[in-house]
Amino acid sequence: MSNADSQDAPGGSGPATAATSGLATRLAHELAGAAEVKVENLQWGLSVTITPTNPHARAFGWADFEDEIVLQVGEYGGRWKLRPVPEDLAFLDDVARSVVAGRVREVLARKRSLIEVVMPDGSVETEAGYEGLAGCLPLPAWRRRSRSVQYAPYSSSP
């Protein structure tokens, strides 16, 4: 686990006590050798980036601003704004474990993408995202005609 303490809050309060720090620590231990978990305590909150060693797996991360958590899974899509409440923290944990298990697919087109995450209960969470003016321009049927990537698990072991 890489832990860069940039502008850590004095006295152990503030960003270092972010709601998601426990999840980041657990993932760092569970994914040792399969991914790099980079945790940064910044003045505004906590930044977590998880990069798999398997090049066919999907990286993801989140920013914990204490009153809001922004989870990013896809290139443009796959962005969820969450609150630090038990049900949203459980959602973050479930998405993280699904991505690590390779239960994520992305449809990629020009300046847009759609993420589909198969959750542990079998339901599918989807979220599309766009970037810039090109992402706002109409592109009929892009979800059906674009390149689709099924990402691999972080590790081949059970």
Side-chain angles (χ1 to χ4, degrees), residues 107-109 112-114 128-130 139-146:
V107 179
L108 297 150
R112 63 194 82 207
S113 74
L114 171 78
Y130 310 88
L139 189 58
W142 71 270
R143 294 177 187 195
R144 288 191 312 269
R145 297 186 307 176
S146 298

Side-chain angles (χ1 to χ4, degrees), residues 32-117:
E36 177 188 6
V37 178
K38 183 178 179 186
V39 178
E40 294 181 277
N41 287 309
L42 304 168
Q43 186 173 10
W44 51 261
L46 186 74
S47 172
V48 178
T49 306
I50 301 167
T51 308
T53 55
N54 179 350
H56 302 291
R58 183 70 178 123
F60 69 101
W62 66 85
D64 187 336
F65 298 98
E66 292 192 33
D67 60 340
E68 180 179 63
I69 302 161
V70 179
L71 169 63
Q72 182 71 42
V73 176
E75 191 67 30
Y76 302 110
R79 181 180 177 164
W80 289 272
K81 290 185 180 181
L82 309 171
R83 296 169 294 130
V85 297
E87 52 273 6
D88 282 1
L89 294 174
F91 177 85
L92 172 62
D93 192 323
D94 286 347
V95 169
R97 296 189 185 289
S98 291
V99 172
V100 168
R103 296 188 309 262
V104 61
R105 183 175 86 94
E106 186 168 19
V107 179
L108 297 150
R110 185 169 187 259
K111 298 291 186 181
R112 63 194 82 207
S113 74
L114 171 78
I115 286 287
E116 295 176 340
V117 179

Side-chain angles (χ1 to χ4, degrees), residues 136-151:
C136 295
L137 295 174
L139 189 58
W142 71 270
R143 294 177 187 195
R144 288 191 312 269
R145 297 186 307 176
S146 298
R147 180 174 63 102
S148 176
V149 178
Q150 176 66 51
Y151 292 103

